[in-house]
Structure formats: structure tokens, C-alpha cells
Amino acid sequence: MADLSKRERMAMERTPTPMRDPQERSASFDEVNLGYTSALAVLEASRCLNCKRPVCVEGCPVGVRIDEFVALVADGKFAEAASVVNVDNPIPAVCGRVCPQEAQCEGACVLNKKGRPIAIGHLERFVADRELERAEHQRVPRREPTGRSVAVVGSGPAGLACAGDLIRMGHEVTVFEALHELGGVLTYGIPAFRLPKPVVEAEIGHLEDLGVRFERDVLVGVSPTVEDLRHGEGFNAVFVGTGAGLPRFPGIEGEGLIGVYSANEFLTRINLMHANEPEARTPVYDLDGRSVVVIGGGNTALDAARAALRLGSAGVTLLYRRSRAEMPARTEEVVHAHEEGVNFRYLVAPLRFNGNDGWLDGVTIQQMALGPPDDQGRARPVPVEGATEDVACEVAIVAIGNRPNPILTKATPDIDTSSWGTIEIDAASGSTSIPGVFAGGDVATGGATVILALAAGRRAAASIDEWLQQGSPETADIGHCTSV
Ligand code: FAD
Ligand code: SF4
């Protein structure tokens, strides 16, 4: 493969990954994408042109040296490829599976002009999975202990990335997580058919091996507060990565009817409380033979729709108020949802939920058309007057976005927040209005992506390191305990 000419490389088709059969998988929570074998990974990597200016790297929010790791895969040097990836990405087995590559590295790849970008995500997943299978992580060296300690609030990608960098910088790190399981949305949001939980557990396990301490079931803002962590418990700095877990609703009639869920609740019940299993103590409404509508067009909506299919619903229809072109969900998820039988209806928005004796039995929808662009440049949906329709359904799952939960910020009056409830930060450093308190990820941006949360966590770790090295009076000689 190594001696292929540029012309030959450019003529090669993109190598597909093996997938579970759509019919079989739509009744199972097993992972859909089975990943490359070694031979397929080498074949795909050998298409790379090793560009002098690797624009794929510019498309990666954390700057993974894609050209280098892909060249190593092409040479069969998989462990070396993993060590290149690990320098910039602490959770590559996750990102290889869930990043919106088409809008990032693969979107930037020169071969994208021909519609055949290198399958960078699949290759990243391949090298990371191989390391997990071999139970050998290519470690980044750890600095000498500094005696400084940092509290990280939230164990999602932002918190994990921040904790991973800080522990390698020689600081003591304790992560406080409100839930009984770690991983944030990676654990309670994204279903196992896209992101198997052992993958997330293994990535967290590496951080534990490095010395990061995890305290579960600690809701910061109730007990302890951020102030307690800084001054009572004596942590020298605090990073807040509490995400955006508060679901938004459209504010229409009938939202209180039985059968109307937020996607957060629906997916959390499945992922965290195993509602899909027969003996579940916190089940979801029995979907067997019932018709479901899902409202939204992002990854969360797609996950909810595909999960509802797997729970035996008679049919799932996704209602999205813009057209396919504006849909924010990852392309692969949209393709998979189509293959599995989810119906898509574009340019429609819910007007009201209809009920009978307190139970949902339908939704009235409004036809929309695309109007002028909004402040993000996306065509704004506008109602088509008089064009409404009643759609029968027994379950409606709302996935139209999230805001940060206000528990922590309400208990931290000195922290500046926006009108959306997000924490105001300096984008370059992650610093907040409180000295020594940093933040990043969805809690600062609103619902975004895993890789952006990860990048924010890493930026904040670098700033915290700098802050700790300055040795301000506040950070000096304060002991701490972790039992809160
Ligand atoms: P989170 O992952 O939300 O983690 C925050 C953590 O903080 C949680 O564990 C929470 O329990 C904890 N916490 C909250 N408050 C407190 C408190 N007061 N005290 C202690 N702990 C607290 N992005 C992608 O890139 N690709 C995808 O395919 C994708 N799919 C998604 C599917 C779903 C269903 C959802 C909901 C989101 C998806 N996203 C996806 C978005 C992505 O998961 C988030 O942008 C990312 O997880 C944000 O990371 P975070 O660390 O900021 O927050
Ligand atoms: Fe390879 Fe595409 Fe990156 Fe060029 S832009 S180095 S072809 S992955």
C-alpha cells in the first residue's frame, strides 16, 4: 500500500465499516458500527495523501495530529498511532464514535472535495479501541507532585479532560459528580448502540489509574458549595463543568399530559436506570405497539427516536421545524435512523399536545417554511398560515435543547451568568468572575459537542496550572480533605 501513487490513492473508494443489519439492530441496544479490522484500517489509512499542509488538523478543535497518526496506521504501527492521538485527545475511543467529523476534520480533508474524505473518526476509534483491548494505554508522562489540589465539578467530557491534564501536571485532582455514575452525557445521554458504556468506563479508568479521585453522589451547590470547596475544603482552584442538563420545552398546551417526556428523562431512564430491561424499577411508559413522535433535529432527538424503536414502538416519527440541510445531528445518525425505520417529517413544529383524560393521544403540528437566516446564519422557520394537521401519538419526546441546571450558580451568587443561565467565562482561559474558579463545556456554551467540551476543559486546565504556579496567597499552604 505504501508505494501507491497519489493518483491511485485518490481513485480509491472510502472504506466502509462493518455495520449490524438494520432490522436486527433496531431491536437491540448493541453497538451498530462494528469498527474497522486491522486490514480495513490499513486500507483506509493508505488513501491519505499526507498533505504538506494537513488541513484536517486545522478542522480538529483539539488539534489531533491526524496526518501523523493516519500515516502510522497505514504502516501498521498501531500503538505508535495511538500515542500520537493521545497527546491531544484523552478520550479518543469516545470521540472517534461521536464527534461530528463531517463538520470538523473530515469536512476539512482535501479529499472531501471528491466526497470521499479519509474516515478519520473510524481510524481514531480503531487505534483507541485496539489500545483498550490490549489494556495498554500509551501514557503521557506525569510531572512531579506540586502539592496543589483542584476540585473538578462534573464528570462529563469537560471535567474529565480538565482532570486528565491537571493530574499529568502534578496536581491533586478530585472530581465531584452529582450522579451515581461517571461520564456525564457520555453515560446517561448517548445510548449504548452508539457508545457502549465499557468504552466510557475504560477511558475513565485510565484517569483513575493516573490518580484522579472521583466522588459520586455529590451535588455541588447543595452540599458542598463552590465556596466550601475553595475555602472550607481548601482546594486551590475549582473547575465547573456541570453541563447543560435542564431540558427546554416549547411552552405549548398539553405539556403536562402523561406520555410527554423530555428526551433527557427518557434517555436517562434507559441509560442510567436500565428502563429497557424487563426488571427495571424506573421503567419508561410501555412503548410496545404505541406510536411515538420525537420533536427536534439534533443528536439527542435522533438518539431518542432510535431508542424508542428499540423499545418496541409501533412507529416513530421525527418532527423537525427546518429542512434536512439545517439538521444539526451527525450524518451517520441520520442515515442509521432512516435505515432502521424512523420516519422524518421536515418543516413542521408542534402547536399543542392533545389529550384524553390526562393521557396524550396526539399532537397538532404547524407547517413551516424557511425564512431569512437567524443570528447563527441558519434559515429561520416561519409558520405557513392556516396549514396545521393532527398527528396521532401516545408518546411525545421533546428534544429541542437544554440549559444549564441553575443549582450551582444560584448557590454561587458571585459567579456571573448570562440571561441563558450559562456561566460567563473568558473564552481563552476559562476563568470566571470569581478568582480561582474556572468553567467550561456546555455550562458555558449551552448544549454543544463532546470535543468542544473537551477542548474547553483542556484550556481551563492550562490556565489553572498557570494560576497555581503563580502561588497567590489564596493558593498557598491550604490543606484539604475530600470527604464532603
Ligand atoms: P456533561 O456531559 O453534561 O457533564 C456534566 C456533568 O456534571 C454531568 O455528569 C452532571 O451530572 C454533572 N453535574 C451537573 N451539575 C452538577 C452539580 N451541581 N454537582 C456535581 N455534578 C454536577 N455531542 C457530540 O459531540 N456528539 C454526539 O453524538 C452527541 N450526542 C448527544 C446525545 C445526547 C442525548 C445529548 C444530551 C448530547 C449529545 N452531545 C453530543 C452533546 C455532548 O454530549 C455534550 O456537549 C457534552 O457531553 C458536554 O460535556 P460537559 O462535560 O460540558 O457536560
Ligand atoms: Fe490525509 Fe485528508 Fe489530512 Fe490530507 S487532509 S493529510 S488527505 S486526512
Side-chain angles (χ1 to χ4, degrees), residues 47-57 66-67 70 105 108-112 117-118 120:
R47 292 202 304 123
C48 176
L49 305 178
N50 309 117
C51 304
K52 279 208 179 77
R53 187 186 143 209
V55 281
C56 48
V57 179
I66 294 163
D67 54 324
V70 172
C105 52
C109 172
V110 290
L111 292 171
N112 193 33
I118 298 296
I120 299 165

Side-chain angles (χ1 to χ4, degrees), residues 10-32:
M10 286 179 70
M12 287 168 72
E13 290 295 331
R14 186 172 149 118
T15 316
T17 44
M19 302 281 172
R20 263 182 225 288
D21 171 70
Q23 201 165 358
E24 172 215 325
R25 73 188 192 224
S26 60
S28 141
F29 279 76
D30 291 343
E31 189 171 20
V32 169

Side-chain angles (χ1 to χ4, degrees), residues 101-149:
Q101 286 97 3
E102 66 270 19
Q104 299 175 349
C105 52
E106 295 183 17
C109 172
V110 290
L111 292 171
N112 193 33
K113 287 190 196 109
K114 290 193 165 288
R116 295 194 292 242
I118 298 296
I120 299 165
H122 294 161
L123 290 172
E124 183 182 40
R125 167 191 165 166
F126 167 77
V127 293
D129 278 5
R130 207 174 156 279
E131 290 302 286
L132 293 181
E133 274 161 28
R134 294 190 326 144
E136 264 185 43
H137 204 55
Q138 300 296 313
R139 297 197 190 291
V140 181
R142 196 180 165 188
R143 274 193 339 220
E144 285 298 304
T146 62
R148 302 281 189 230
S149 64

